[in-house]
Amino acid sequence: MTAIRLALVALLAAALALFAFANWKPVAVLLWPGLELVLPLPLLLFAILALVYVPMSLLFNAQRLLLRRKITRLEETLARTETELSQARVELLRPPAATPPAATAPPGA
């Protein structure tokens, strides 16, 4: 699986390099009236990709961290509950303690 992923990444990198080489033309982007940014097309696409990828990556990693913490907390709760359950089973299966027979007073005493 890793080899397939590596091959796909290498193929994508080669395609992007070929695209960048073939389209290295300046592109004008109008940001605001009177403010124009002129960049080569591959750099503009890379900047857009970075603007999308970085926040989404941060969000994904934050969610993963929160889920790991939640899983750890749930596993700890499960372990505590299993311990309490096993102790309750021991208490339920333990025979009741023998109670001494009640001493009856002799008649006429």
Side-chain angles (χ1 to χ4, degrees):
M1 187 66 184
T2 305
I4 294 173
R5 186 180 340 168
L6 181 63
L8 288 175
V9 168
L11 185 63
L12 181 63
L16 287 175
L18 184 62
F19 174 81
F21 181 72
N23 293 303
W24 199 267
K25 296 175 180 67
V27 176
V29 178
L30 183 65
L31 299 175
W32 285 280
L35 182 60
E36 187 174 294
L37 181 66
V38 178
L39 288 174
L41 182 62
L43 289 181
L44 180 65
L45 292 178
F46 177 74
I48 292 171
L49 179 67
L51 285 173
V52 171
Y53 175 77
V54 170
M56 294 307 293
S57 176
L58 291 173
L59 179 66
F60 173 73
N61 287 331
Q63 285 180 341
R64 190 171 60 181
L65 177 66
L66 290 174
L67 287 175
R68 281 185 182 169
R69 287 181 181 173
K70 189 173 185 177
I71 288 171
T72 302
R73 193 171 52 243
L74 288 172
E75 286 174 344
E76 290 170 356
T77 303
L78 178 63
R80 264 195 321 272
T81 305
E82 286 176 343
T83 303
E84 291 172 2
L85 180 61
S86 65
Q87 290 172 353
R89 284 183 180 156
V90 167
E91 290 295 323
L92 286 175
L93 294 177
R94 183 177 299 151
T99 57
T104 56

